[in-house]
């Protein structure tokens, strides 16, 4: 089942299927290692539900939900 990264609840894990978007934001996500085939999990959300902390490739990354909507994932 393919979903958006922004739909992951804390504790859920997924595998990145594709990274959408364009321009410097997409380039930055690719530079951070958010590429197809990478496992990622949602760790927690900020008090106002944005940004969300994700664990990927051995580090933690905070990302705004609107940026996470550009990433398609497959739930594990």
């Amino acid at each position: 089942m393919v979903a958006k990264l922004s739909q992951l609840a804390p504790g859920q894990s997924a595998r990145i299927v594709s990274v959408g978007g364009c321009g410097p934001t997409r380039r930055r996500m690719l530079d951070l290692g958010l590429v197809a085939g990478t496992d990622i999990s949602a760790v927690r959300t900020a008090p106002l539900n944005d940004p969300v902390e994700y664990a990927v490739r051995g580090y933690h990354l905070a990302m705004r939900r609107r940026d996470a909507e550009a990433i398609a994932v497959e739930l594990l």
Side-chain angles (χ1 to χ4, degrees):
M1 177 177 149
V2 176
K4 295 178 181 178
L5 180 60
S6 61
Q7 296 173 320
L8 284 186
Q12 283 188 309
S13 297
R15 181 164 293 132
I16 296 173
V17 174
S18 66
V19 178
C22 61
T25 302
R26 181 175 191 274
R27 180 75 254 166
R28 180 68 177 147
M29 287 191 282
L30 294 173
D31 289 345
L32 290 170
L34 301 175
V35 296
T38 302
D39 291 343
I40 189 168
S41 60
V43 177
R44 61 182 170 183
T45 62
L48 295 177
N49 215 23
D50 194 26
V52 178
E53 181 181 344
Y54 297 99
V56 59
R57 295 184 179 262
Y59 71 93
H60 288 212
L61 167 71
M63 183 182 300
R64 294 177 194 255
R65 285 191 180 274
R66 71 173 181 232
D67 293 333
E69 288 182 10
I71 299 174
V73 296
E74 179 179 49
L75 299 178
L76 297 178

